[in-house]
Amino acid sequence: MNLNATLFAQFVVFILLAIFTAKVVWPPLMKALDERAQKIADGLAAADRSKQEMVAVERHVQIELSKAREEGQRRLNEAESNAAKLAEDLRHTAEDQAAKIIAQAKADAEAEALRIKEKLRTEVAVLAVKGAEQILKREVDASAHAAILKQLADEL
């Protein structure tokens, strides 16, 4: 066999194999590679979108947390203010009640003092009449001398 014919036959087979590969094998292989590249690109884009969404959600969460903290602080301040106002109202009410109790006690004490003074006046008048009776050795009629006894009681 001739070397040139073998070389030529191998060259023809190689060309046929190259054409066959280019027409039959290469397009599905390139299609598979393109699809794989597209899936990878889509996955990376989805990952980027997810990352951006995660950052947006984190910002939203931070904003909501700060709003919740502010609301909690506002409610706490409001509760403290209400408690202080309530304590102040209770203090004023207690002071008013204490003032009323003291005024009532003073009025009761004055009334009791007047009652005791009146009782003492009556007793002194009775004693004065008895003393005068003893001195005069006769009975003094209290009803007959009521005006004099009243004047005596007023002077005491």
Side-chain angles (χ1 to χ4, degrees), residues 4-119:
N4 284 338
T6 305
L7 194 57
F8 180 72
Q10 286 178 351
F11 181 70
V12 170
V13 170
F14 177 75
I15 294 293
L16 287 177
L17 181 63
I19 290 172
F20 176 76
T21 303
K23 295 282 185 189
V24 176
V25 176
W26 194 256
L29 186 62
M30 288 308 291
K31 184 179 176 186
L33 288 175
D34 287 342
E35 287 175 0
R36 175 93 172 139
Q38 185 62 37
K39 284 182 183 179
I40 291 171
D42 290 345
L44 289 174
D48 286 340
R49 282 192 309 272
S50 295
K51 189 175 183 180
Q52 290 172 352
E53 288 175 6
M54 185 179 73
V55 169
V57 167
E58 284 180 0
R59 267 191 254 127
H60 181 69
V61 166
Q62 291 299 323
I63 290 170
E64 290 299 319
L65 281 175
S66 66
K67 284 181 184 178
R69 284 187 191 114
E70 289 172 2
E71 178 69 16
Q73 188 63 41
R74 184 187 62 77
R75 286 185 180 182
L76 181 63
N77 291 341
E78 188 176 293
E80 287 175 350
S81 172
N82 288 343
K85 183 180 177 194
L86 182 61
E88 188 67 21
D89 290 346
L90 288 175
R91 186 179 63 79
H92 285 302
T93 302
E95 287 175 353
D96 291 345
Q97 287 179 350
K100 286 178 184 176
I101 290 170
I102 290 170
Q104 183 63 37
K106 284 182 181 180
D108 290 347
E110 288 175 6
E112 184 67 19
L114 286 174
R115 188 184 62 76
I116 291 172
K117 283 181 184 179
E118 197 59 41
K119 185 177 177 185

Side-chain angles (χ1 to χ4, degrees), residues 130-154:
K130 283 187 181 182
E133 198 175 86
Q134 291 282 331
I135 293 173
L136 297 174
K137 292 287 186 186
R138 65 183 179 132
E139 185 174 321
V140 176
D141 186 11
S143 60
H145 299 80
I148 296 171
L149 292 174
K150 179 158 177 32
Q151 181 184 1
L152 180 64
D154 288 340

